[in-house]
Amino acid sequence: MKRWTDWAMLGLLAALLPTSTMARQAAVGGVMMPLYPKGSTDALGVPETRERIAEADETFIFNVSDPTLEIFRPARPNGTAVIVAPGGGFVGLAYEHGGRDIARRLARHGVTALVLKYRTIQSPQDAMRMPEVHEREMAAIIARAKSGEPAPVRPFAGEAHAVEDGSRAMTLVREHARAWGVDPDRIGMLGFSSGAFLAADLAIGDKVSRPAFVGLIYGGLRGPVPADAAPAFIAAAADDSYLPQDGPLLYAAWRKAGGAAELHMFERGGHGFDLRPKGATSDHWFDEFLWWMRSRGLLPEKRK
């Protein structure tokens, strides 16, 4: 097995109470809400762990059996909500920079932001090592990137449970929309890497759990894309070593189906950019996402 530090910058890896009530206030975050009643999901049989990976300067959550939403409510909600789905290859979740930081920034713009801690596959007790199934998945990703062939990325182990959790999150936010000052027709999802695969699954899936809009940040294609797929903001970097062709593929699939999509293909940024500056044009992806939301009536116009 490879060590987690060998992969930590990927973005794929770098990247309870009744459900009608909210749980206690997190020490340095938002308000935690369980997605399901306690004991209603199959447990992995190992405790959930959080590990700080120094090389990635990120806190990862592993072995998630009990998914949650962490809610960051703005002082003046503008009616839009965004569920943030961190990356991590469906093995771990890059929770701080890839989740909470982005939710806090969205909340400063009046968006009700929620970080989705979705279920993962089981990892070894030593969090510095990755499950063998994911080693094989990453080997296939790397071989695909080197081949230059745009074959679809096969579903990841654990992806189905994560999509189920994303669907459940959409249901819960709609149920609480009025209490949170949210328009139930303005609930979107912003996903990073594996979180973007999750968001894409929902964007083209069952209308009951389909977000009103999605942000797909260095994610990959799922299909087929229906004509009424959720409008998509797509961002990726040309120097992404792992999914180098997928931004344009996502955009082309959306447009071919007649769906609304916008693509931002940055020269540099690699796989795993977030809000931390890299000195590249990809540093501005969040501003572009806000402009896109504003153009779709999801944010109020800036005052001149």
Side-chain angles (χ1 to χ4, degrees):
M1 283 186 180
K2 289 185 178 290
R3 300 173 70 245
W4 266 93
T5 49
D6 296 334
W7 300 88
M9 298 307 294
L10 282 186
L12 282 168
L13 307 172
L16 284 160
L17 295 173
T19 57
S20 61
T21 61
M22 288 184 290
R24 59 182 176 80
Q25 179 80 23
V28 292
V31 175
M32 303 298 296
M33 169 184 277
L35 285 191
Y36 308 98
K38 187 70 174 178
S40 63
T41 57
D42 293 333
L44 292 173
V46 293
E48 180 180 303
T49 58
R50 296 186 181 223
E51 296 287 341
R52 182 75 180 173
I53 306 298
E55 288 83 349
D57 186 26
E58 177 61 294
T59 297
F60 287 84
I61 304 179
F62 301 96
N63 294 313
V64 177
S65 292
D66 296 312
T68 62
L69 281 172
E70 185 171 6
I71 306 150
F72 294 80
R73 296 181 63 188
R76 295 182 179 179
N78 61 26
T80 296
V82 172
I83 299 169
V84 180
F90 303 103
V91 178
L93 301 179
Y95 199 77
E96 291 297 329
H97 296 304
R100 280 176 162 177
D101 285 357
I102 291 157
R104 293 187 186 100
R105 183 76 63 88
L106 285 166
R108 291 207 293 268
H109 290 272
V111 175
T112 300
L114 310 97
V115 183
L116 175 61
K117 185 182 75 174
Y118 51 88
R119 282 173 287 175
T120 65
I121 63 173
Q122 184 173 337
S123 295
Q125 289 299 298
D126 174 7
M128 299 305 291
R129 303 179 71 83
M130 83 167 60
E132 291 182 4
V133 65
H134 196 62
E135 281 198 41
R136 295 192 294 270
E137 290 171 341
M138 288 309 306
I141 289 280
I142 292 170
R144 173 181 180 269
K146 289 180 177 178
S147 75
E149 295 295 328
V153 177
R154 298 183 62 182
F156 293 85
E159 186 170 346
H161 276 160
V163 172
E164 185 177 300
D165 295 343
S167 176
R168 174 65 175 164
M170 286 296 303
T171 297
L172 285 179
V173 178
R174 286 180 178 137
E175 288 177 353
H176 289 81
R178 179 173 295 183
W180 294 343
V182 169
D183 182 339
D185 294 324
R186 287 165 56 188
I187 302 169
M189 180 169 284
L190 175 61
F192 299 82
S193 195
S194 57
F197 277 98
L198 187 166
D201 286 329
L202 293 178
I204 65 176
D206 193 330
K207 292 182 180 181
V208 173
S209 56
R210 190 178 295 174
F213 60 95
V214 290
L216 308 176
I217 315 300
Y218 43 88
L221 181 62
R222 290 288 181 256
V225 178
D228 61 349
F233 173 93
I234 303 163
D239 64 347
D240 186 326
S241 299
Y242 305 98
L243 298 171
Q245 305 173 75
D246 290 83
L249 285 174
L250 277 165
Y251 176 77
W254 243 258
R255 298 299 295 162
K256 183 177 180 179
E262 179 166 311
L263 172 65
H264 293 260
M265 197 69 190
F266 299 106
E267 178 186 2
R268 292 182 295 115
H271 190 94
F273 53 86
D274 45 44
L275 295 178
R276 292 171 290 180
K278 290 187 171 188
T281 52
S282 58
D283 291 349
H284 303 284
W285 73 267
F286 186 83
D287 296 327
E288 298 291 351
F289 180 61
L290 292 182
W291 279 113
W292 179 80
M293 290 178 67
R294 189 168 288 115
S295 75
R296 302 196 66 83
L298 299 167
L299 287 179
E301 290 291 334
K302 275 189 173 181
R303 294 180 181 177
K304 294 183 180 180

